[in-house]
Amino acid sequence: MAINFLHPYYEVLRNYDKCITCRACERQCINEVHTYLPDSSRMVCDDGKCVNCHRCVSLCPTRALKIVRSGNTYKENVNWSGRIIDEVYRQASSGGVLLSSMGNPENYPIYFDKILLNASQVTNPSIDPLREPMETKISLGAKPTDIERDENDCVKNNLPPQINLSMPVMFSAMSYGSISYNAHESLARAAEELGVLYNTGEGGLHEDFYRYGKNTIVQVASGRFGVHAQYLNSGVAIEIKMGQGAKPGIGGHLPGAKIIGDISRTRMIPEGSDAISPAPHHDIYSIEDLRQLVYSLKEVTDYKKPVIVKIAAVHNVAAIASGIARSGADIISIDGFRGGTGAAPTRIRDNVGIPIELALASVDARLRNENIRDNIAVVVGGSIRSSADVVKAIALGADCTYIATSALLALGCHLCRSCHTGKCNWGIATQVPELVKRLNPDIGYKRLVNLLTAWQHEIKEMMGGMGINSIESLKGNRLMLRGVGLNEKELEILGIKHAGE
Amino acid sequence: MKRVYVNEKWCLGCHLCEYHCAFADMNEKDMARALKNVKIKPKIKIEERDGVSFAVSCRHCQEPLCVKGCITGALTRVDGVVTINRDKCVNCYTCILICPYGAISSSDDGVVQKCELCIKTVVGTPACVRGCPNGAIVFEERQ
């Protein structure tokens, strides 16, 4: 047998004083880390198989388990970190592209954490949201710039189609296939109860979920999986996915092993065939081409539904957004480099794209300078982690935010970043029936509703503190923001002052 | 009347209900101390085969055969809950043989044991229901 160069990252520590050998850990670990030894009536662990998903830790009734870094180190080297050495070993052994899941975990700046919010003191008094009305509703879509009148001089209703939301948060695109049926059901039911939207992702819409149409965004991506006229008309908006924050410039690949039963039918491809989304849309090579697709989709939906164009935050994002604002799209959604994914090449995920905060600020500024800001609403995603991030994004100029990683966390995800293995112990990023059933949507949707209800309370509190009683008054209100520890250039791009100024 | 119902669709076969059931009876605060090195005899049991699993415990039947068959009157139905009087039980196993669900079992105490909806132990929701991680066991009113 060849030498295994890799030492386990994690060590499963079992407190044998607490372990009652109920074997729940063994039964719940799809990676087969835990084994029961009948001879000695003891549980043992194979640390090398552990992905640190915490399923066993969370289910252990006596809290006998914890997972720690194994602590095994190479000779210290700032340049050649343990992770980099391990990756070389892995590639030398496999010859393959390294795969990763979820968002970029590397040590790049998190601008949301370097931005602080304002609060009123003495003048312009703060507002108590428990006692006074506070508005978090938003209406997403292009806004008319001119007042038009008919022959009788009456004002014409020239408002393009809008989406109405109870709060400026939506669940972003995760396809049926990349996540499970139960995860989709949880998202759909939560969106319905909350009065927000969830997004089908590029895998089509399962027939059971058409009834959540009023809370659905249907996506059209480069693979065009599951796209047909009824699908396009089933939601309240259509999203054209040009790019994804976790893997800008890259398509998608759902392995044939996951294309089974309902997923094959929903995607309209044969069972067992790989679902490969090309990197570009093969019919879009310019803004004019994009415009054609935007209008094709509007045509098929009778101009009643707004069209969203989703792009990854990349270097020329402001210029790209300016083009999209002229393409006839109603909404642009920008996905930052921290955005999650079910699988992406590690090098792409960790090295391509730019932070959403900078992308948002520059897009908003560019659209304003060109007087086309009203042509298009701006939605941002790619690691909106809390209600504070939502408030900061709105103040930086976003109309609405997209969340996905936080939603999955609410459903039980522990960010072990092994979605690409298809063996999600929490029943989220998997299609294995005995794993999928671990996510009971009755529990899942309530946790999502709880999360966003809590965020809504917090958003109201923060707005109230600033003396603002409506999300609309916060939008693009960068005077409510100050930077800490940012340099002149960063402040210039973000369009905010430094704290103390 | 509220009863314990199980839903096979959400049962993970983790067997945690069995341990919570056994623990509920012991009047102990710490599960690790209570169940360490103990071979449990729970009143709710997981049945599993070919990837299908579900928990089985007393149905608290409207017309319980076990009560009818009990030769000493140890089993009675009080406010809808089939309970056992441990002083009267002579361990004849008639109830174990007669119960169509296999919900009554022997214990180490010389009397039979069965689910009594935790009315003699913790107050409120039965321990198996509270201990189920996936909502597969519920305590609710059904017609």
Side-chain angles (χ1 to χ4, degrees):
Chain A
M1 198 172 88
I3 299 172
N4 179 7
F5 284 59
L6 299 172
H7 189 273
Y9 280 116
Y10 309 106
E11 208 171 304
V12 183
L13 295 188
R14 180 181 299 274
N15 182 338
Y16 281 98
D17 288 337
K18 287 185 172 178
C19 176
I20 56 170
T21 53
C22 69
R23 302 173 70 178
C25 48
E26 179 191 21
R27 294 186 178 103
Q28 289 290 297
C29 183
I30 189 72
N31 300 310
E32 299 177 329
V33 169
H34 306 278
T35 320
Y36 178 65
L37 297 182
D39 296 347
S40 52
S41 306
R42 271 164 80 93
M43 301 297 306
V44 288
C45 317
D46 181 352
D47 299 319
K49 293 176 179 168
C50 178
V51 298
N52 199 2
C53 76
H54 278 224
R55 181 72 184 177
C56 59
V57 172
S58 301
L59 263 83
C60 176
T62 58
R63 295 249 176 266
L65 290 170
K66 72 174 175 183
I67 295 169
V68 295
R69 282 294 305 272
S70 71
N72 180 50
T73 66
Y74 298 107
K75 191 155 186 173
E76 275 172 31
N77 190 323
V78 172
N79 188 35
W80 288 95
S81 68
R83 197 198 115 168
I84 290 177
I85 296 174
D86 279 347
E87 285 175 348
V88 170
Y89 288 155
R90 279 169 64 195
Q91 290 194 297
S93 118
S94 71
V97 170
L98 292 171
L99 280 182
S100 294
S101 316
M102 298 312 288
N104 184 339
E106 294 302 308
N107 186 23
Y108 296 103
I110 303 165
Y111 286 96
F112 279 134
D113 292 345
K114 296 182 177 191
I115 296 176
L116 294 169
L117 294 169
N118 193 24
S120 304
Q121 304 291 305
V122 188
T123 58
N124 182 23
S126 46
I127 302 167
D128 184 346
L130 296 175
R131 292 185 172 79
E132 294 180 60
M134 185 71 72
E135 191 66 72
T136 58
K137 279 185 190 165
I138 60 158
S139 167
L140 266 189
K143 300 287 188 287
T145 45
D146 299 311
I147 294 171
E148 293 174 28
R149 292 179 185 278
D150 62 15
E151 60 274 15
N152 303 321
D153 230 20
C154 292
V155 176
K156 278 207 287 196
N157 180 2
N158 58 351
L159 183 70
Q162 305 283 315
I163 315 170
N164 295 310
L165 301 165
S166 64
M167 61 186 289
V169 179
M170 304 187 285
F171 300 124
S172 56
M174 289 174 277
S175 69
Y176 174 47
S178 75
I179 60 170
S180 65
Y181 178 96
N182 289 340
H184 248 234
E185 182 179 332
S186 304
L187 289 166
R189 283 167 63 183
E192 185 180 50
E193 182 150 331
L194 288 160
V196 299
L197 305 184
Y198 84 108
N199 190 316
T200 62
E202 64 169 315
L205 182 59
H206 192 283
E207 56 204 14
D208 294 353
F209 299 142
Y210 275 80
R211 63 197 185 94
Y212 301 106
K214 283 196 169 63
N215 299 90
T216 307
I217 297 172
V218 294
Q219 198 182 61
V220 175
S222 59
R224 307 280 155 88
F225 298 118
V227 176
H228 50 88
Q230 194 201 353
Y231 167 76
L232 294 172
N233 278 291
S234 63
V236 289
I238 302 172
E239 181 172 88
I240 302 171
K241 177 195 173 188
M242 298 302 302
Q244 182 177 345
K247 39 181 173 179
I250 293 272
H253 179 175
L254 192 67
K258 286 190 181 177
I259 313 291
I260 44 169
D262 283 355
I263 295 169
S264 135
R265 203 162 60 246
T266 307
R267 293 205 172 212
M268 308 196 308
I269 52 174
E271 287 205 15
S273 59
D274 288 5
I276 296 177
S277 299
H281 286 249
H282 287 311
D283 52 356
I284 301 179
Y285 285 82
S286 65
I287 293 293
E288 290 76 13
D289 290 346
L290 175 65
R291 188 179 175 83
Q292 285 201 2
L293 180 58
V294 169
Y295 278 93
S296 302
L297 295 174
K298 286 187 179 234
E299 196 68 41
V300 98
T301 52
D302 211 12
Y303 294 84
K304 285 183 183 150
K305 299 182 198 294
V307 172
I308 308 171
V309 175
K310 175 179 176 176
I311 55 165
V314 288
H315 299 178
N316 290 317
V317 67
I320 298 162
S322 168
I324 290 170
R326 295 162 211 273
S327 72
D330 301 273
I331 301 166
I332 176 169
S333 121
I334 312 168
D335 197 10
F337 80 147
R338 297 272 185 194
T341 175
T346 309
R347 300 293 170 240
I348 303 286
R349 185 196 69 175
D350 294 355
N351 296 283
V352 182
I354 63 169
I356 189 59
E357 302 90 327
L358 301 178
L360 164 61
S362 65
V363 165
D364 182 61
R366 172 84 173 241
L367 297 180
R368 280 174 199 279
N369 289 342
E370 295 181 355
N371 277 327
I372 50 172
R373 182 63 181 82
D374 286 336
N375 280 14
I376 199 154
V378 177
V379 182
V380 296
S383 210
I384 299 289
R385 302 158 300 165
S386 68
S387 57
D389 288 355
V390 174
V391 170
K392 289 169 189 176
I394 302 285
L396 276 175
D399 293 87
C400 184
T401 57
Y402 256 147
I403 64 164
T405 302
S406 3
L408 295 188
L409 287 171
L411 291 176
C413 168
H414 277 60
L415 276 184
C416 72
R417 312 202 297 262
S418 354
C419 321
H420 56 284
T421 63
K423 297 195 290 185
C424 174
N425 263 323
W426 292 89
I428 300 168
T430 180
Q431 303 304 330
V432 181
E434 61 261 37
L435 296 178
V436 172
K437 75 190 291 192
R438 293 183 182 183
L439 176 58
N440 181 344
D442 289 341
I443 299 173
Y445 101 92
K446 272 188 209 144
R447 291 180 59 84
L448 289 168
V449 170
N450 285 346
L451 177 75
L452 285 198
T453 307
W455 284 21
Q456 191 175 28
H457 284 306
E458 292 175 337
I459 290 170
K460 287 179 177 177
E461 289 285 352
M462 282 181 268
M463 282 184 356
M466 291 184 267
I468 290 172
N469 63 4
S470 155
I471 279 281
E472 293 293 331
S473 325
L474 179 66
K475 211 172 277 180
N477 195 340
R478 297 190 194 188
L479 283 173
M480 290 296 154
L481 304 174
R482 290 289 187 275
V484 274
L486 297 176
N487 65 32
E488 285 284 348
K489 192 69 192 176
E490 290 168 321
L491 292 168
E492 180 195 322
I493 294 168
L494 289 168
I496 61 173
K497 292 179 173 177
H498 200 276
E501 276 189 283
Chain B
M1 172 202 151
K2 275 183 154 186
R3 286 189 171 85
V4 169
Y5 294 95
V6 296
N7 191 345
E8 168 263 318
K9 189 177 177 190
W10 302 121
C11 176
L12 310 175
C14 68
H15 291 246
L16 284 176
C17 49
E18 299 177 349
Y19 285 83
H20 285 283
C21 175
F23 177 53
D25 250 1
M26 301 178 104
N27 208 16
E28 275 270 6
K29 279 190 177 156
D30 182 48
M31 186 188 263
R33 208 175 61 172
L35 298 181
K36 181 82 194 153
N37 300 324
V38 171
K39 190 162 172 21
I40 58 162
K41 281 203 163 182
K43 296 158 189 167
I44 188 166
K45 286 188 199 74
I46 295 290
E47 299 285 340
E48 55 191 334
R49 197 168 162 187
D50 300 335
V52 176
S53 60
F54 50 87
V56 176
S57 65
C58 175
R59 310 284 81 225
H60 297 279
C61 311
Q62 298 277 350
E63 291 180 23
L65 293 173
C66 57
V67 173
K68 223 178 241 181
C70 181
I71 60 167
T72 61
L75 286 165
T76 47
R77 191 162 179 268
V78 184
D79 297 334
V81 184
V82 177
T83 57
I84 176 163
N85 182 337
R86 294 160 61 91
D87 294 335
K88 287 188 179 174
C89 176
V90 294
N91 223 13
C92 69
Y93 284 15
T94 308
C95 53
I96 295 180
L97 294 170
I98 212 167
C99 174
Y101 304 102
I104 307 180
S105 52
S106 64
S107 75
D108 298 329
D109 305 335
V111 288
V112 299
Q113 58 166 18
K114 64 177 293 304
C115 166
E116 294 173 284
L117 298 180
C118 280
I119 50 170
K120 292 179 183 167
T121 55
V122 287
V123 185
T125 321
C128 55
V129 176
R130 286 190 301 164
C132 178
N134 207 33
I137 311 177
V138 292
F139 188 51
E140 60 189 30
E141 196 92 38
R142 283 188 196 172
Q143 287 305 316

